[in-house]
Amino acid sequence: MRPQLQVAVDSLDMVSALGPLNKAVEHVDVIECGTILVIAEGLRAVREIRALYPGKTILADVRIAEAGSLIARQCFEAGADWVSCVAGASLATIEQVVKVAREYDGQVQVELGETYSADRARFWRDLGVQHVIVKRSRDREAAGDLSWGDADIQRVSELAEMGFTVTVTGGIKASELGVFTGRPVGVVIAGREIMKAADPKASALNLQHAISQVWP
């Protein structure tokens, strides 16, 4: 199955978020109300983006670490379809988030950190988590490490075999998607590649073209 394209909207305010998003939105599948945007604007960001784009899947990337029921409920009531948790959240917290997600017919995503435990991932799946993110961190990228290691690539397949939809992210460019050839990626996230592009629509189309080439 061809991966979906997710745009990470991590602007510092709604004005700077909506300009590029409006240009690219026709060619993306999932809109991520990023952590930075939610910190800056609160869940107003989710509510407004839901109102503007009622047909799109919306992720509230709030990276829940605790208070799972409370935070998840607020996100889903604001209009999110998916919410995110950090890998370090307790299993009790993740279980709370999954329980609330089921009330709203929503889905839960866990973002892997620098360390990875296959056993812990299996617990997430047993609890009902649908999505996991394999990430090249922004800090690692800023330090000059632009590689996708063999362990990262193998992790995609391992997690997909557990039954997760696997998302890849971390400053992804269309030109590097080929590294995932043959791997069961479910979602490709692009943030700066679309949101900071001179032509966000063209950039989103370029990413969709690259996705269709890697996963025909």
Side-chain angles (χ1 to χ4, degrees):
M1 182 180 292
R2 185 176 297 174
Q4 294 182 290
L5 177 60
Q6 177 172 319
V7 60
V9 183
D10 259 323
S11 307
L12 289 170
D13 57 69
M14 289 299 291
V15 173
S16 57
L18 293 178
L21 180 58
N22 281 333
K23 295 172 183 174
V25 70
E26 180 184 354
H27 304 291
V28 302
D29 306 295
V30 181
I31 302 171
E32 172 190 327
C33 293
T35 309
I36 293 169
L37 180 62
V38 173
I39 288 172
E41 294 279 9
L43 289 175
R44 165 191 172 220
V46 177
R47 286 190 290 270
E48 291 195 6
I49 288 175
R50 165 56 66 211
L52 288 167
Y53 312 112
K56 295 293 182 181
T57 297
I58 296 177
L59 163 68
D61 186 24
V62 290
R63 305 187 190 187
I64 298 170
E66 56 183 12
S69 294
L70 178 62
I71 297 172
R73 190 173 302 280
Q74 289 185 70
C75 291
F76 288 120
E77 288 182 352
D81 299 290
W82 302 350
V83 297
S84 64
C85 299
V86 295
S90 71
L91 294 179
T93 294
I94 290 177
E95 185 174 22
Q96 289 173 15
V97 175
V98 170
K99 183 178 179 180
V100 172
R102 286 177 176 147
E103 291 180 34
Y104 291 86
D105 197 24
Q107 298 186 17
V108 179
Q109 179 185 76
V110 175
E111 181 174 325
L112 300 184
E114 295 294 325
T115 59
Y116 167 67
S117 165
D119 288 338
R120 190 169 181 82
R122 290 187 185 95
F123 280 123
W124 299 334
R125 187 69 191 115
D126 289 343
L127 289 172
V129 172
Q130 295 96 340
H131 304 265
V132 287
I133 298 177
V134 175
K135 180 178 182 181
R136 177 174 60 191
S137 77
R138 180 175 289 196
D139 292 340
R140 193 168 118 197
E141 184 189 355
D145 184 357
L146 302 179
S147 65
W148 284 93
D150 291 342
D152 294 323
I153 304 301
Q154 181 55 40
R155 197 165 294 155
V156 171
S157 296
E158 183 176 22
L159 290 162
E161 287 171 5
M162 293 180 197
F164 290 108
T165 297
V166 182
T167 296
V168 293
T169 187
I172 287 178
K173 296 176 172 55
S175 59
E176 67 182 314
L177 284 177
V179 73
F180 297 106
T181 297
R183 300 292 177 172
V185 173
V187 181
V188 172
I189 300 179
R192 288 158 285 167
E193 183 75 354
I194 293 174
M195 297 296 292
K196 298 294 185 183
D199 186 340
K201 177 179 178 179
S203 183
L205 280 168
N206 189 40
L207 281 156
Q208 288 284 20
H209 176 71
I211 287 170
S212 69
Q213 294 298 303
V214 176
W215 294 274

